[in-house]
Amino acid sequence: MSTLTRTQKKKIADALLRGIKDPVIAKVLEISVEDVARERKSKGLSCKQVTETRYEYWKKLLYAGRSLKEIGELYGVSPYSVKLMLWKKERFSMMDVRKKISAERANSSRQARTSASFNW
């Protein structure tokens, strides 16, 4: 059993908040998977909770305008896998994302037009 540094613990916590799996964290930090799992469990998180967190994080990224390709690259999966997993697990539709982003852009544009004023 190795002792994790404060920095490693912080990086593990940050990665778990983004839904990154134990083996990926271990590989990046060059520590054992067991150490990562022990730290995850100490925070009261199950593997299932990490997976659910990942899907929530993916949705936030999509709503923020990130592409499936960008998200896939971040997580080491194909863009199709991101789309498929969100649909399979949560019935999350890319059409909804596009509609929401379009509505937000239209609303921002409308606000910009109506709030424009001149200082004479």
Side-chain angles (χ1 to χ4, degrees), residues 77-89:
V77 298
S78 73
Y80 180 74
S81 292
V82 173
K83 184 177 178 180
L84 179 66
M85 292 311 297
L86 286 174
W87 178 252
K88 272 179 78 173
K89 299 292 182 183

Side-chain angles (χ1 to χ4, degrees), residues 10-120:
K10 171 82 170 100
K11 288 181 179 182
I12 291 170
D14 291 344
L16 291 172
L17 287 174
R18 290 178 286 155
I20 299 174
K21 295 179 180 182
D22 295 359
V24 176
I25 297 170
K27 183 178 179 182
V28 169
L29 296 179
E30 298 177 345
I31 57 178
S32 74
V33 176
E34 293 79 18
D35 285 339
V36 176
R38 194 175 307 106
E39 184 64 19
R40 175 180 45 76
K41 289 175 186 174
S42 77
K43 297 190 176 313
L45 295 171
S46 68
C47 289
K48 183 178 179 179
Q49 288 171 310
V50 173
T51 301
E52 290 168 359
T53 300
R54 178 180 325 120
Y55 298 145
E56 288 303 314
Y57 193 71
W58 285 359
K59 291 190 293 187
K60 286 179 187 176
L61 291 173
L62 287 167
Y63 282 130
R66 301 291 289 270
S67 70
L68 290 171
K69 182 179 178 186
E70 290 173 308
I71 296 168
E73 288 172 354
L74 285 171
Y75 284 82
V77 298
S78 73
Y80 180 74
S81 292
V82 173
K83 184 177 178 180
L84 179 66
M85 292 311 297
L86 286 174
W87 178 252
K88 272 179 78 173
K89 299 292 182 183
E90 302 194 11
R91 296 293 186 238
F92 183 80
S93 166
M94 289 303 296
M95 292 293 287
D96 295 337
V97 172
R98 289 185 187 108
K99 286 178 187 175
K100 182 174 181 179
I101 290 172
S102 271
E104 287 175 358
R105 286 182 183 155
N107 191 28
S108 308
S109 174
R110 196 174 308 113
Q111 285 177 345
R113 284 193 307 261
T114 58
S115 67
S117 63
F118 296 99
N119 291 327
W120 299 96

